[in-house]
Amino acid sequence: GENVEQHPSTLSVQEGDSAVIKCTYSDSASNYFPWYKQELGKGPQLIIDIRSNVGEKKDQRIAVTLNKTAKHFSLHITETQPEDSAVYFCAASKSGNYQLIWGAGTKLIIKP
Amino acid sequence: DAGVTQSPTHLIKTRGQQVTLRCSPKSGHDTVSWYQQALGQGPQFIFQYYEEEERQRGNFPDRFSGHQFPNYSSELNVNALLLGDSALYLCASSPGQGLYNEQFFGPGTRLTVL
């Protein structure tokens, strides 16, 4: 079955700098890759997603890239702000399989 | 436009008891999935309901069961609670016929088993 690995487990960056979180997946049939942000005591919030027919997607300060050949995808956050501090999860899914397979999460700390 | 709602917010039970958690999907969504999230881990898929039927199930025992109502809301039932069932239970909704598995999550129910 699908397996998603996520790195790093903790990432500390200076406010204003960029942050990059990376995930790899094992099932080449996976075709949907969402990223979620989870703040303490809350449910995961979908922040951006990418489908396998696209290599890159951007939404303001957030971007996601997908390399299907290498089976990895990354989240890029530019100009980080204190409110970006949270746990970020990547996930993968494929058509016909209704569950999301999740990475272990990355705790992002923005230092003032 | 109301998002996914869940009730109750918190719940404390003792071992051996039974619990029912509730979820209302996002407006326009007809599919509900349930996940269990242990502290410090990613969510684990329990099952998904579509058209009032369990469409897919993860690796959870039969003690975990569910139901979906005609208005698309859903319940998760857990019988014979174990200490290890303590977790955040998340409900996610999605459009059932979507090609991609876009899921939107509620705030969760924090279950503590003593």
Side-chain angles (χ1 to χ4, degrees), chain A:
Chain A
E2 174 68 283
N3 183 53
V4 176
E5 294 189 357
Q6 182 172 349
H7 301 280
S9 57
T10 304
L11 178 61
S12 183
V13 303
Q14 205 70 37
E15 182 178 351
D17 288 350
S18 296
V20 180
I21 302 171
K22 299 181 179 181
C23 288
T24 60
Y25 61 98
S26 60
D27 189 343
S28 57
S30 291
N31 61 357
Y32 176 65
F33 307 92
W35 285 90
Y36 288 86
K37 174 184 181 181
Q38 187 172 28
E39 298 176 339
L40 199 61
K42 298 185 178 181
Q45 175 192 1
L46 179 66
I47 57 171
I48 195 167
D49 56 15
I50 191 167
R51 300 169 183 179
S52 59
N53 58 348
V54 175
E56 185 174 359
K57 183 176 178 181
K58 190 174 181 180
D59 183 4
Q60 298 183 348
R61 297 187 296 110
I62 294 173
V64 57
T65 58
L66 171 64
N67 183 325
K68 288 189 294 183
T69 303
K71 290 190 282 187
H72 68 69
F73 56 112
S74 300
L75 176 71
H76 304 253
I77 305 174
T78 60
E79 301 174 9
T80 53
Q81 300 170 4
E83 54 264 36
D84 294 330
S85 293
V87 178
Y88 291 80
F89 289 96
C90 64
S93 179
K94 61 183 178 182
S95 298
N97 189 319
Y98 303 107
Q99 65 175 304
L100 292 173
I101 306 299
W102 296 69
T106 295
K107 183 176 183 179
L108 178 61
I109 301 167
I110 308 301
K111 297 180 291 185

Side-chain angles (χ1 to χ4, degrees), chain B residues 5-77:
Chain B
T5 59
Q6 292 186 243
S7 63
T9 305
H10 296 88
L11 205 50
I12 300 174
K13 292 285 188 178
T14 57
R15 283 178 297 173
Q17 285 190 312
Q18 177 264 345
V19 67
T20 298
L21 311 181
R22 295 176 175 83
C23 170
S24 291
K26 182 179 169 68
S27 179
H29 287 179
D30 56 6
T31 301
V32 172
S33 302
W34 287 92
Y35 290 81
Q36 180 194 66
Q37 185 177 26
L39 204 60
Q41 298 182 21
Q44 298 292 315
F45 178 76
I46 302 174
F47 42 52
Q48 183 181 89
Y49 276 82
Y50 172 67
E51 293 188 341
E52 301 181 53
E53 296 286 335
E54 183 182 289
R55 180 154 74 170
Q56 186 172 343
R57 188 178 185 91
N59 189 25
F60 278 80
D62 292 345
R63 297 187 298 108
F64 291 77
S65 63
H67 188 77
Q68 185 178 35
F69 299 93
N71 66 352
Y72 309 127
S73 67
S74 176
E75 289 182 350
L76 165 66
N77 301 292

